[in-house]
Amino acid sequence: MTGRLNDALRRVPVWPLYIAGAVPPLWWLWLGLTGGLGVEPIEALEHRLGELALQVLIAGLCVTPLRRHLGVNLIRFRRALGILAFSYVLLHLLVWLALDVQIPAQIWADIAKRPYITVGMAGFVLLLPLVATSNDRAVRWLGPRWRRLHRLTYLAVLLGAIHYVMLAKGFQIEPLLYLGGIVVLLALRLPVRRRLLPA
Amino acid sequence: MARRWTSDLSPRDVTPERAFLNRRQILGGLAAAGAVTLSSPRARAQEALEPNSWEEITSYNNFYEFGTGKDDPARYAGQMATSPWTVAINGLVDRPGEYAFKDIMARMEIEERIYRFRCVEAWSMVVPWTGFELADLLDMAGIQERATHVAFETLLRPEEMPGVARPVLDWPYVEGLRLDEAMHPLTLMATGIYGRDIPNQNGAPLRLVVPWKYGFKSIKSVVRITLTDSEPPTSWNVANSREYGFYSNVNPDVDHPRWSQATEREIGGGLFSPRKPTLMFNGYEDEVASLYEGMDLSVHF
Ligand code: HEM
């Protein structure tokens, strides 16, 4: 069953994922320019990009557990997921810089003074070396160090989710569900966890 | 006692939505170029106040009883039954009781007021409210000597309010003012926008409007008003006292712990809407600064 699924997956090309991934931001930009994002399009765009970034980061975290526990192999798509997620975080940051805050002096003050921005920014910075090494040449050059380096993903995704928890007003459940989901996906990777599972 | 606060400006406005404003004297409005001399500071503060559109005012709301999304109130508040409606006025008053909304309306003088509206989330609008002064309502109930504060409560009806299933805040929503703030002529009980009945998402059938405070102080769909002799609890302050003070006066110099309050974005400017500086007391400094004389506003934020 999974064998046939994996065979089928092997024949699916990766490039359409990049095309599909480019659609939401372009579509939202179009909506924002034409009034389709409501009367406060800046906030809407910022929030949608942030949420999509987090969702795609989580999708990337699912690849290994899916293979390990269900035998479904999506590893060929993982790089595309990572690069797309980074692109969304970058756009999220650019919307914040250019459309939301606008004032250069306030940008720096916010990064330093607002913990939820500091945490989001830390998540973004951690993604930089990862996206820079998401190509075959870097993988070959780094060898085993590549895998160690890319464990930074775990921290970056956690920071992204904590950033979301921190910015919610009042007691809100969605950010906690995201954070909880991520913790579970990370826990599935712990060696202890594997020993506890029946073989 | 109504009409204690007026402006010498009259608008020369053209868009159909604002046509109603031309009929009567309004507060603020466009300074008709050359036609009025902006002499007093108050008049200058009201200069060039151009109301947001009906669509903007009624589609982008915070009313967490219907959900935390800005479009949730417009989507779900229609379920809230607003007629019949009574307001319990009790506590330190001479004539406590359940006042029917329509009886209140029959006794109050309705006027129009164009106010700036500044949300704690650093966005703002200009809203052409209609309503009556809270002072008149409180006088109707007869304020007793000992009263020092006024507490307000929003309707809590879980069948009609999908948002209250979640403990985002400690329901029902409650707010409060010092008595002198409540009696200030700027403090309004709004019952309409653009001369129409106030839509549910904006707090039908009547809501408080305190234009020099962050929007969450202006409690919606009020069902209870209690005169007290001590500072009443207020929902956001109970939820997070570090971030939301009892006073919550608009103040560009006192930041919210998580974001700056120095600037704001006016709703309706589109994707490239610029930020503009936030005004002390939301531009009503001349009218209300004396209420807080001698107080350290970074402590009593
Ligand atoms: C790993 C990186 C990041 C992730 C996964 C992420 C994710 C998110 C999410 C999920 C939201 C909430 C969306 C919603 O409410 O629907 C959000 C909001 C936001 N993010 Fe990020 N973010 C990241 C980095 C950043 C960075 C680098 C900045 C700016 C320096 C930033 C600034 C903001 C702001 C200003 C908001 C809106 C806050 C508000 O409206 O109160 N984020 N982000």
Side-chain angles (χ1 to χ4, degrees):
Chain A
M1 175 63 199
T2 48
R4 245 192 301 148
L5 180 61
N6 287 336
D7 283 345
L9 283 170
R10 245 192 304 278
R11 281 193 295 275
V12 180
V14 174
W15 60 264
L17 198 53
Y18 288 102
I19 308 281
V23 171
L26 291 173
W27 174 237
W28 293 335
L29 187 63
W30 169 254
L31 286 179
L33 289 169
T34 55
L37 287 183
V39 300
E40 223 300 35
I42 300 172
E43 185 208 19
L45 194 60
E46 187 174 79
H47 281 213
R48 287 186 188 203
L49 286 167
E51 218 165 299
L52 183 64
L54 195 55
Q55 286 159 353
V56 176
L57 284 170
I58 291 174
L61 282 187
C62 290
V63 170
T64 294
L66 275 176
R67 192 175 48 155
R68 201 176 276 163
H69 301 293
L70 299 176
V72 179
N73 191 348
L74 293 170
I75 199 94
R76 289 175 55 243
F77 303 97
R78 194 169 63 179
R79 178 184 293 172
L81 289 175
I83 290 172
L84 282 175
F86 172 80
S87 313
Y88 300 146
V89 174
L90 181 64
L91 289 172
H92 177 68
L93 174 62
L94 290 176
V95 168
W96 180 75
L97 289 175
L99 302 180
D100 187 351
V101 182
Q102 299 171 3
I103 303 157
Q106 203 172 311
I107 289 172
W108 183 244
D110 274 4
I111 293 175
K113 259 183 18 193
R114 319 280 168 215
Y116 85 94
I117 296 287
T118 318
V119 168
M121 205 63 203
F124 170 73
V125 169
L126 286 183
L127 290 175
L128 288 172
L130 304 185
V131 75
T133 55
S134 285
N135 54 74
D136 292 338
R137 209 141 47 97
V139 175
R140 250 177 281 126
W141 175 59
L142 287 168
R145 285 174 302 169
W146 187 92
R147 286 192 58 178
R148 252 178 290 143
L149 176 66
H150 277 248
R151 290 204 190 113
L152 279 180
T153 317
Y154 308 152
L155 191 53
V157 183
L158 268 179
L159 288 172
I162 291 169
H163 158 78
Y164 188 13
V165 169
M166 289 172 77
L167 64 88
K169 279 177 284 291
F171 176 81
Q172 296 198 32
I173 203 81
E174 287 85 358
L176 294 172
L177 289 178
Y178 277 104
L179 182 60
I182 290 165
V183 169
V184 169
L185 285 170
L186 295 184
L188 284 172
R189 292 168 156 80
L190 290 178
V192 199
R193 178 88 187 119
R194 248 186 295 162
R195 254 182 278 130
L196 288 177
L197 285 174
Chain B
M1 284 298 275
R3 299 188 183 278
R4 272 170 293 209
W5 190 77
T6 55
S7 137
D8 357 284
L9 298 182
S10 61
R12 267 213 341 235
D13 221 327
V14 282
T15 71
E17 218 159 46
R18 297 188 206 116
F20 97 104
L21 297 169
N22 288 325
R23 291 198 312 265
R24 304 182 189 105
Q25 184 191 34
I26 60 150
L27 307 167
L30 293 173
V36 237
T37 351
L38 299 170
S39 46
S40 73
R42 169 186 295 173
R44 244 178 287 124
Q46 295 308 310
E47 191 178 343
L49 266 195
E50 191 175 348
N52 279 88
S53 70
W54 173 265
E55 152 81 6
E56 286 156 3
I57 296 168
T58 61
S59 69
Y60 191 80
N61 309 96
N62 279 323
F63 197 164
Y64 278 13
E65 282 82 343
F66 298 99
T68 52
K70 292 286 186 294
D71 47 357
D72 287 336
R75 201 173 305 152
Y76 301 117
Q79 313 166 34
M80 176 172 66
T82 58
S83 172
W85 190 277
T86 56
V87 182
I89 305 181
N90 49 28
L92 302 172
V93 291
D94 297 329
R95 292 172 289 280
E98 299 273 338
Y99 289 82
F101 177 65
K102 65 177 191 343
D103 297 339
I104 293 176
M105 288 300 271
R107 295 177 62 176
M108 294 292 125
E109 185 180 346
I110 302 299
E111 52 186 300
E112 282 129 18
R113 300 240 178 139
I114 300 180
Y115 282 159
R116 292 184 198 82
F117 183 95
R118 170 62 157 81
C119 178
V120 72
E121 297 166 341
W123 53 266
S124 66
M125 295 190 188
V126 173
V127 185
W129 304 105
T130 50
F132 52 86
E133 288 181 13
L134 175 61
D136 290 340
L137 183 68
L138 298 182
D139 283 338
M140 184 182 84
I143 307 162
Q144 293 182 353
E145 285 282 298
R146 275 173 43 235
T148 60
H149 289 79
V150 187
F152 304 84
E153 188 180 310
T154 295
L155 178 76
L156 175 57
R157 209 180 275 155
E159 326 76 89
E160 297 171 7
M161 297 176 150
V164 304
R166 293 174 170 201
V168 181
L169 290 168
D170 196 2
W171 315 111
Y173 193 83
V174 290
E175 257 306 335
L177 295 173
R178 234 168 45 190
L179 186 59
D180 56 347
E181 298 175 321
M183 297 300 284
H184 193 280
L186 279 178
T187 304
L188 197 72
M189 292 305 289
T191 56
I193 294 172
Y194 274 118
R196 298 195 233 169
D197 286 350
I198 196 167
N200 284 5
Q201 61 267 36
N202 294 81
L206 84 167
R207 63 162 304 163
L208 181 68
V209 177
V210 194
W212 71 92
K213 292 177 180 283
Y214 293 120
F216 67 88
K217 292 294 291 182
S218 293
I219 184 171
K220 297 193 176 90
S221 302
V222 172
V223 292
R224 182 185 303 278
I225 299 175
T226 309
L227 279 285
T228 66
D229 58 5
S230 61
E231 187 179 291
T234 60
S235 287
W236 280 104
N237 180 250
V238 169
N240 192 336
S241 61
R242 203 174 65 87
E243 297 190 349
Y244 308 97
F246 173 78
Y247 286 96
S248 288
N249 292 317
V250 175
N251 187 341
D253 304 325
V254 177
D255 282 349
H256 184 282
R258 287 185 285 162
W259 56 85
S260 163
Q261 295 292 24
T263 61
E264 65 199 49
R265 191 162 50 238
E266 265 181 76
I267 298 300
L271 209 48
F272 305 103
S273 175
R275 278 187 179 269
K276 53 168 222 175
T278 288
L279 302 172
M280 187 63 200
F281 294 113
N282 204 22
Y284 302 96
E285 188 168 10
D286 289 342
E287 289 88 344
V288 302
S290 60
L291 295 174
Y292 309 102
E293 231 158 51
M295 284 172 65
D296 182 345
L297 295 178
S298 61
V299 176
H300 301 280
F301 57 88

